[in-house]
Amino acid sequence: SAASDVYKRQHWQWENAIYFVTFRLHGSLPNSAIQKLKDEHELQKTELIKKGLSEQKIKQALKKMRHLYFGKFDHLLDNSSSVPHHLANDNFAKIVANSIMFFNEKKYKIINYTIMSNHVHLLIYQLQSELHDIMGSIKKYSAKHINLELNQTGNKFWQYESFDHIIRNELELNYYIQYNLLNPVTVNLISDWQDWKWNYIHKDFLKYAP
């Protein structure tokens, strides 16, 4: 169908694309909460396909749905009482930051990252390999070193899947940079995004900062 074709194309890796990625700790949300969100999302897509809309309207509707889905997902993470919240520990957050920046300017370029207690937001571009491989490398390195600190070698640390979205224009780039940097402000951890120790933005993109 036109709807499913458009949806699949949204997940292709585009050359020189900017990606917004969110990845979270294993067990940071109950499976039931995630499944409920996924079921709602799938039902909305099914209902959309039945409407027989044009490809352009389907594309716009899918984009809006995915945006709303992520908003609900991130709200759950920000307000989760489920353990773990390992990244509230500065030593562990530093390991994640170092993992993200290790191949910066070599295998990819980092525009921004924001590390929260149970998840991480990332804006990345100029990828020299598949996004899946890059994220796998970041997760593997950080998980190994944090698990050593926790004396739980071999345990799952990160949730396998990540949420990713291709930034399609400057307006979206501006939105997601501000969304990330203001995440700790939104949940009342600080009043100024610049006071969050685990906010990073490349100097070339500071014009988009709040």
Side-chain angles (χ1 to χ4, degrees):
S1 70
S4 60
D5 287 346
V6 171
Y7 191 73
K8 285 173 185 173
R9 284 205 296 276
Q10 289 180 339
H11 289 78
W12 287 359
Q13 180 160 314
W14 292 4
E15 190 177 355
N16 297 323
I18 296 174
Y19 288 88
F20 166 70
V21 184
T22 295
F23 55 109
R24 64 187 179 94
L25 299 183
H26 180 72
S28 51
L29 286 175
N31 289 334
S32 58
I34 291 295
Q35 193 57 52
K36 183 181 177 184
L37 264 186
K38 287 180 177 178
D39 289 346
E40 286 176 3
H41 191 53
E42 289 303 315
L43 181 62
Q44 288 171 343
K45 283 196 292 177
T46 302
E47 292 299 316
L48 177 67
I49 292 167
K50 289 178 182 177
K51 291 181 180 179
L53 301 173
S54 67
E55 182 171 321
Q56 183 61 31
K57 286 188 175 178
I58 290 169
K59 187 176 180 180
Q60 289 171 349
L62 284 171
K63 181 180 175 182
K64 186 176 180 181
M65 274 184 203
R66 190 161 165 79
H67 186 78
L68 289 171
Y69 172 83
F70 173 75
K72 291 177 181 178
F73 168 77
D74 202 45
H75 179 76
L76 286 175
L77 280 172
D78 283 332
N79 295 279
S80 176
S81 57
S82 301
V83 291
H85 285 269
H86 291 312
L87 307 183
N89 180 311
D90 276 352
N91 291 333
F92 299 161
K94 183 173 174 52
I95 289 171
V96 175
N98 289 342
S99 302
I100 291 168
M101 300 303 283
F102 188 78
F103 285 116
N104 185 39
E105 305 288 346
K106 300 182 186 100
K107 294 186 176 182
Y108 48 78
K109 290 186 177 181
I110 298 297
I111 294 173
N112 149 257
Y113 67 70
T114 296
I115 302 173
M116 302 296 289
S117 66
N118 62 358
H119 66 287
V120 180
H121 297 306
L122 187 66
L123 282 161
I124 184 171
Y125 74 125
Q126 292 191 13
L127 280 59
Q128 302 299 311
S129 56
E130 293 291 324
L131 177 64
H132 176 79
D133 295 334
I134 289 169
M135 294 310 303
S137 174
I138 290 170
K139 288 179 176 181
K140 184 178 179 181
Y141 179 89
S142 54
K144 178 183 176 182
H145 287 270
I146 294 174
N147 274 333
L148 281 172
E149 296 281 337
L150 291 169
N151 293 314
Q152 57 177 32
T153 308
N155 282 16
K156 283 186 179 180
F157 187 78
W158 296 108
Q159 196 70 24
Y160 175 74
E161 76 276 3
S162 301
F163 179 94
D164 62 87
H165 169 73
I166 294 172
I167 304 297
R168 286 171 170 77
N169 53 51
E170 191 174 11
L171 194 64
E172 275 199 341
L173 178 61
N174 180 64
Y175 171 82
Y176 281 105
I177 286 176
Q178 296 210 17
Y179 183 94
N180 292 354
L181 294 175
L182 289 173
N183 195 170
V185 178
T186 304
V187 294
N188 300 313
L189 294 172
I190 48 166
S191 56
D192 186 333
W193 69 269
Q194 295 178 85
D195 293 335
W196 189 246
K197 191 174 181 178
W198 305 111
N199 262 339
Y200 164 84
I201 182 165
H202 190 281
K203 58 182 175 57
D204 291 349
F205 294 88
L206 271 171
K207 64 181 179 179
Y208 300 109

